[in-house]
PDB file of all heavy atoms in Angstrom:
ATOM      1  N   ALA A   1      10.613  23.472 -13.559  1.00  0.00           N
ATOM      2  CA  ALA A   1      11.875  23.969 -14.146  1.00  0.00           C
ATOM      3  C   ALA A   1      12.813  22.833 -14.548  1.00  0.00           C
ATOM      4  O   ALA A   1      13.539  22.917 -15.531  1.00  0.00           O
ATOM      5  CB  ALA A   1      12.576  24.869 -13.125  1.00  0.00           C
ATOM      6  N   VAL A   2      12.765  21.666 -13.870  1.00  0.00           N
ATOM      7  CA  VAL A   2      13.688  20.634 -14.162  1.00  0.00           C
ATOM      8  C   VAL A   2      13.354  19.920 -15.419  1.00  0.00           C
ATOM      9  O   VAL A   2      14.101  19.027 -15.912  1.00  0.00           O
ATOM     10  CB  VAL A   2      13.723  19.562 -12.975  1.00  0.00           C
ATOM     11  CG1 VAL A   2      14.285  20.192 -11.726  1.00  0.00           C
ATOM     12  CG2 VAL A   2      12.357  18.899 -12.731  1.00  0.00           C
ATOM     13  N   MET A   3      12.135  20.134 -16.051  1.00  0.00           N
ATOM     14  CA  MET A   3      11.761  19.543 -17.263  1.00  0.00           C
ATOM     15  C   MET A   3      12.633  19.958 -18.425  1.00  0.00           C
ATOM     16  O   MET A   3      12.762  19.299 -19.385  1.00  0.00           O
ATOM     17  CB  MET A   3      10.290  19.857 -17.564  1.00  0.00           C
ATOM     18  CG  MET A   3       9.328  19.380 -16.522  1.00  0.00           C
ATOM     19  SD  MET A   3       9.263  17.604 -16.307  1.00  0.00           S
ATOM     20  CE  MET A   3       8.511  17.091 -17.817  1.00  0.00           C
ATOM     21  N   ASP A   4      13.279  21.138 -18.306  1.00  0.00           N
ATOM     22  CA  ASP A   4      14.093  21.681 -19.374  1.00  0.00           C
ATOM     23  C   ASP A   4      15.501  21.068 -19.320  1.00  0.00           C
ATOM     24  O   ASP A   4      16.224  21.248 -18.212  1.00  0.00           O
ATOM     25  CB  ASP A   4      14.223  23.164 -19.254  1.00  0.00           C
ATOM     26  CG  ASP A   4      15.060  23.786 -20.372  1.00  0.00           C
ATOM     27  OD1 ASP A   4      14.637  23.740 -21.509  1.00  0.00           O
ATOM     28  OD2 ASP A   4      16.154  24.365 -20.027  1.00  0.00           O
ATOM     29  N   PRO A   5      16.055  20.441 -20.319  1.00  0.00           N
ATOM     30  CA  PRO A   5      17.392  19.888 -20.301  1.00  0.00           C
ATOM     31  C   PRO A   5      18.438  20.875 -20.008  1.00  0.00           C
ATOM     32  O   PRO A   5      19.412  20.572 -19.289  1.00  0.00           O
ATOM     33  CB  PRO A   5      17.580  19.277 -21.720  1.00  0.00           C
ATOM     34  CG  PRO A   5      16.176  19.073 -22.220  1.00  0.00           C
ATOM     35  CD  PRO A   5      15.315  20.149 -21.627  1.00  0.00           C
ATOM     36  N   GLY A   6      18.274  22.079 -20.533  1.00  0.00           N
ATOM     37  CA  GLY A   6      19.295  23.133 -20.281  1.00  0.00           C
ATOM     38  C   GLY A   6      19.361  23.516 -18.818  1.00  0.00           C
ATOM     39  O   GLY A   6      20.431  23.783 -18.265  1.00  0.00           O
ATOM     40  N   THR A   7      18.209  23.548 -18.210  1.00  0.00           N
ATOM     41  CA  THR A   7      18.157  23.844 -16.772  1.00  0.00           C
ATOM     42  C   THR A   7      18.827  22.747 -15.996  1.00  0.00           C
ATOM     43  O   THR A   7      19.577  23.055 -15.015  1.00  0.00           O
ATOM     44  CB  THR A   7      16.687  24.068 -16.325  1.00  0.00           C
ATOM     45  OG1 THR A   7      16.142  25.240 -16.942  1.00  0.00           O
ATOM     46  CG2 THR A   7      16.573  24.239 -14.802  1.00  0.00           C
ATOM     47  N   ARG A   8      18.599  21.512 -16.385  1.00  0.00           N
ATOM     48  CA  ARG A   8      19.238  20.387 -15.654  1.00  0.00           C
ATOM     49  C   ARG A   8      20.715  20.479 -15.771  1.00  0.00           C
ATOM     50  O   ARG A   8      21.516  20.224 -14.821  1.00  0.00           O
ATOM     51  CB  ARG A   8      18.656  19.037 -16.122  1.00  0.00           C
ATOM     52  CG  ARG A   8      17.235  18.812 -15.727  1.00  0.00           C
ATOM     53  CD  ARG A   8      16.801  17.367 -15.898  1.00  0.00           C
ATOM     54  NE  ARG A   8      16.984  16.835 -17.173  1.00  0.00           N
ATOM     55  CZ  ARG A   8      16.119  16.911 -18.235  1.00  0.00           C
ATOM     56  NH1 ARG A   8      15.019  17.632 -18.127  1.00  0.00           N
ATOM     57  NH2 ARG A   8      16.386  16.347 -19.399  1.00  0.00           N
ATOM     58  N   GLU A   9      21.201  20.865 -16.974  1.00  0.00           N
ATOM     59  CA  GLU A   9      22.641  21.071 -17.162  1.00  0.00           C
ATOM     60  C   GLU A   9      23.212  22.241 -16.236  1.00  0.00           C
ATOM     61  O   GLU A   9      24.316  22.053 -15.672  1.00  0.00           O
ATOM     62  CB  GLU A   9      22.937  21.389 -18.641  1.00  0.00           C
ATOM     63  CG  GLU A   9      22.860  20.280 -19.560  1.00  0.00           C
ATOM     64  CD  GLU A   9      23.124  20.643 -20.989  1.00  0.00           C
ATOM     65  OE1 GLU A   9      23.853  21.620 -21.229  1.00  0.00           O
ATOM     66  OE2 GLU A   9      22.551  20.032 -21.912  1.00  0.00           O
ATOM     67  N   LEU A  10      22.439  23.299 -16.142  1.00  0.00           N
ATOM     68  CA  LEU A  10      22.850  24.364 -15.265  1.00  0.00           C
ATOM     69  C   LEU A  10      22.996  23.974 -13.814  1.00  0.00           C
ATOM     70  O   LEU A  10      23.817  24.453 -13.077  1.00  0.00           O
ATOM     71  CB  LEU A  10      21.873  25.557 -15.349  1.00  0.00           C
ATOM     72  CG  LEU A  10      21.882  26.517 -16.470  1.00  0.00           C
ATOM     73  CD1 LEU A  10      20.717  27.448 -16.392  1.00  0.00           C
ATOM     74  CD2 LEU A  10      23.195  27.235 -16.513  1.00  0.00           C
ATOM     75  N   LEU A  11      22.167  22.978 -13.388  1.00  0.00           N
ATOM     76  CA  LEU A  11      22.170  22.580 -12.027  1.00  0.00           C
ATOM     77  C   LEU A  11      23.234  21.536 -11.664  1.00  0.00           C
ATOM     78  O   LEU A  11      23.503  21.268 -10.524  1.00  0.00           O
ATOM     79  CB  LEU A  11      20.758  21.970 -11.668  1.00  0.00           C
ATOM     80  CG  LEU A  11      19.599  22.998 -11.756  1.00  0.00           C
ATOM     81  CD1 LEU A  11      18.283  22.233 -11.478  1.00  0.00           C
ATOM     82  CD2 LEU A  11      19.782  24.160 -10.828  1.00  0.00           C
ATOM     83  N   ALA A  12      23.885  20.995 -12.688  1.00  0.00           N
ATOM     84  CA  ALA A  12      24.937  19.971 -12.486  1.00  0.00           C
ATOM     85  C   ALA A  12      26.005  20.576 -11.590  1.00  0.00           C
ATOM     86  O   ALA A  12      26.527  21.634 -11.884  1.00  0.00           O
ATOM     87  CB  ALA A  12      25.474  19.537 -13.803  1.00  0.00           C
ATOM     88  N   GLY A  13      26.305  19.783 -10.476  1.00  0.00           N
ATOM     89  CA  GLY A  13      27.389  20.199  -9.657  1.00  0.00           C
ATOM     90  C   GLY A  13      26.971  21.206  -8.575  1.00  0.00           C
ATOM     91  O   GLY A  13      27.751  21.513  -7.744  1.00  0.00           O
ATOM     92  N   LEU A  14      25.782  21.715  -8.620  1.00  0.00           N
ATOM     93  CA  LEU A  14      25.302  22.681  -7.583  1.00  0.00           C
ATOM     94  C   LEU A  14      24.650  21.882  -6.432  1.00  0.00           C
ATOM     95  O   LEU A  14      24.252  20.744  -6.579  1.00  0.00           O
ATOM     96  CB  LEU A  14      24.251  23.633  -8.213  1.00  0.00           C
ATOM     97  CG  LEU A  14      24.728  24.599  -9.323  1.00  0.00           C
ATOM     98  CD1 LEU A  14      23.630  25.467  -9.794  1.00  0.00           C
ATOM     99  CD2 LEU A  14      25.882  25.437  -8.753  1.00  0.00           C
ATOM    100  N   PRO A  15      24.612  22.526  -5.283  1.00  0.00           N
ATOM    101  CA  PRO A  15      24.015  21.930  -4.082  1.00  0.00           C
ATOM    102  C   PRO A  15      22.497  21.937  -4.158  1.00  0.00           C
ATOM    103  O   PRO A  15      21.777  22.694  -3.531  1.00  0.00           O
ATOM    104  CB  PRO A  15      24.492  22.813  -2.928  1.00  0.00           C
ATOM    105  CG  PRO A  15      24.721  24.152  -3.538  1.00  0.00           C
ATOM    106  CD  PRO A  15      25.125  23.882  -4.954  1.00  0.00           C
ATOM    107  N   VAL A  16      21.988  21.040  -4.935  1.00  0.00           N
ATOM    108  CA  VAL A  16      20.540  20.958  -5.223  1.00  0.00           C
ATOM    109  C   VAL A  16      19.904  19.897  -4.219  1.00  0.00           C
ATOM    110  O   VAL A  16      20.461  18.752  -4.146  1.00  0.00           O
ATOM    111  CB  VAL A  16      20.226  20.516  -6.669  1.00  0.00           C
ATOM    112  CG1 VAL A  16      18.693  20.334  -6.912  1.00  0.00           C
ATOM    113  CG2 VAL A  16      20.847  21.516  -7.674  1.00  0.00           C
ATOM    114  N   VAL A  17      18.792  20.290  -3.624  1.00  0.00           N
ATOM    115  CA  VAL A  17      18.049  19.376  -2.785  1.00  0.00           C
ATOM    116  C   VAL A  17      16.638  19.266  -3.321  1.00  0.00           C
ATOM    117  O   VAL A  17      15.961  20.254  -3.551  1.00  0.00           O
ATOM    118  CB  VAL A  17      18.063  19.927  -1.318  1.00  0.00           C
ATOM    119  CG1 VAL A  17      17.205  19.002  -0.398  1.00  0.00           C
ATOM    120  CG2 VAL A  17      19.438  20.037  -0.754  1.00  0.00           C
ATOM    121  N   PHE A  18      16.256  18.021  -3.482  1.00  0.00           N
ATOM    122  CA  PHE A  18      14.860  17.649  -3.842  1.00  0.00           C
ATOM    123  C   PHE A  18      14.061  17.544  -2.599  1.00  0.00           C
ATOM    124  O   PHE A  18      14.316  16.618  -1.825  1.00  0.00           O
ATOM    125  CB  PHE A  18      14.905  16.407  -4.770  1.00  0.00           C
ATOM    126  CG  PHE A  18      13.567  15.735  -4.978  1.00  0.00           C
ATOM    127  CD1 PHE A  18      12.347  16.390  -4.892  1.00  0.00           C
ATOM    128  CD2 PHE A  18      13.580  14.333  -5.171  1.00  0.00           C
ATOM    129  CE1 PHE A  18      11.163  15.699  -5.186  1.00  0.00           C
ATOM    130  CE2 PHE A  18      12.380  13.646  -5.445  1.00  0.00           C
ATOM    131  CZ  PHE A  18      11.109  14.362  -5.445  1.00  0.00           C
ATOM    132  N   LEU A  19      13.121  18.462  -2.467  1.00  0.00           N
ATOM    133  CA  LEU A  19      12.182  18.324  -1.319  1.00  0.00           C
ATOM    134  C   LEU A  19      11.026  17.390  -1.764  1.00  0.00           C
ATOM    135  O   LEU A  19      10.110  17.784  -2.533  1.00  0.00           O
ATOM    136  CB  LEU A  19      11.594  19.655  -0.890  1.00  0.00           C
ATOM    137  CG  LEU A  19      12.617  20.700  -0.343  1.00  0.00           C
ATOM    138  CD1 LEU A  19      11.989  22.021   0.023  1.00  0.00           C
ATOM    139  CD2 LEU A  19      13.447  20.082   0.812  1.00  0.00           C
ATOM    140  N   ASP A  20      11.065  16.203  -1.310  1.00  0.00           N
ATOM    141  CA  ASP A  20      10.048  15.194  -1.679  1.00  0.00           C
ATOM    142  C   ASP A  20       8.846  15.255  -0.754  1.00  0.00           C
ATOM    143  O   ASP A  20       9.014  15.398   0.482  1.00  0.00           O
ATOM    144  CB  ASP A  20      10.756  13.782  -1.596  1.00  0.00           C
ATOM    145  CG  ASP A  20       9.976  12.774  -2.393  1.00  0.00           C
ATOM    146  OD1 ASP A  20       8.953  13.086  -3.035  1.00  0.00           O
ATOM    147  OD2 ASP A  20      10.378  11.596  -2.316  1.00  0.00           O
ATOM    148  N   VAL A  21       7.729  15.152  -1.359  1.00  0.00           N
ATOM    149  CA  VAL A  21       6.411  15.309  -0.622  1.00  0.00           C
ATOM    150  C   VAL A  21       5.404  14.344  -1.198  1.00  0.00           C
ATOM    151  O   VAL A  21       5.427  14.152  -2.443  1.00  0.00           O
ATOM    152  CB  VAL A  21       5.933  16.770  -0.651  1.00  0.00           C
ATOM    153  CG1 VAL A  21       5.632  17.245  -2.029  1.00  0.00           C
ATOM    154  CG2 VAL A  21       4.705  16.930   0.223  1.00  0.00           C
ATOM    155  N   GLN A  22       4.576  13.787  -0.347  1.00  0.00           N
ATOM    156  CA  GLN A  22       3.546  12.950  -0.877  1.00  0.00           C
ATOM    157  C   GLN A  22       2.333  13.767  -1.110  1.00  0.00           C
ATOM    158  O   GLN A  22       2.151  14.814  -0.527  1.00  0.00           O
ATOM    159  CB  GLN A  22       3.254  11.831   0.124  1.00  0.00           C
ATOM    160  CG  GLN A  22       4.537  10.879   0.370  1.00  0.00           C
ATOM    161  CD  GLN A  22       4.971  10.298  -0.944  1.00  0.00           C
ATOM    162  OE1 GLN A  22       4.248   9.698  -1.713  1.00  0.00           O
ATOM    163  NE2 GLN A  22       6.252  10.352  -1.121  1.00  0.00           N
ATOM    164  N   LEU A  23       1.415  13.263  -1.912  1.00  0.00           N
ATOM    165  CA  LEU A  23       0.189  13.969  -2.280  1.00  0.00           C
ATOM    166  C   LEU A  23      -0.648  14.538  -1.098  1.00  0.00           C
ATOM    167  O   LEU A  23      -0.992  15.690  -1.016  1.00  0.00           O
ATOM    168  CB  LEU A  23      -0.661  13.156  -3.210  1.00  0.00           C
ATOM    169  CG  LEU A  23      -2.032  13.768  -3.598  1.00  0.00           C
ATOM    170  CD1 LEU A  23      -1.851  15.109  -4.347  1.00  0.00           C
ATOM    171  CD2 LEU A  23      -2.862  12.794  -4.424  1.00  0.00           C
ATOM    172  N   ALA A  24      -0.809  13.638  -0.100  1.00  0.00           N
ATOM    173  CA  ALA A  24      -1.606  14.014   0.998  1.00  0.00           C
ATOM    174  C   ALA A  24      -1.000  15.226   1.789  1.00  0.00           C
ATOM    175  O   ALA A  24      -1.732  16.113   2.192  1.00  0.00           O
ATOM    176  CB  ALA A  24      -1.773  12.842   2.009  1.00  0.00           C
TER     177      ALA A  24
END
């Protein structure tokens, strides 16, 4: 979803958390 620039704009200022995970 974050690939879309419009979606990234919608998320600006919101409490967004990136759940980072490694491949394994």
Side-chain angles (χ1 to χ4, degrees):
V2 298
M3 299 298 288
D4 180 67
T7 294
R8 292 195 305 276
E9 286 178 29
L10 281 175
L11 297 176
L14 295 180
V16 178
V17 176
F18 165 28
L19 295 181
D20 198 2
V21 62
Q22 298 304 310
L23 175 61

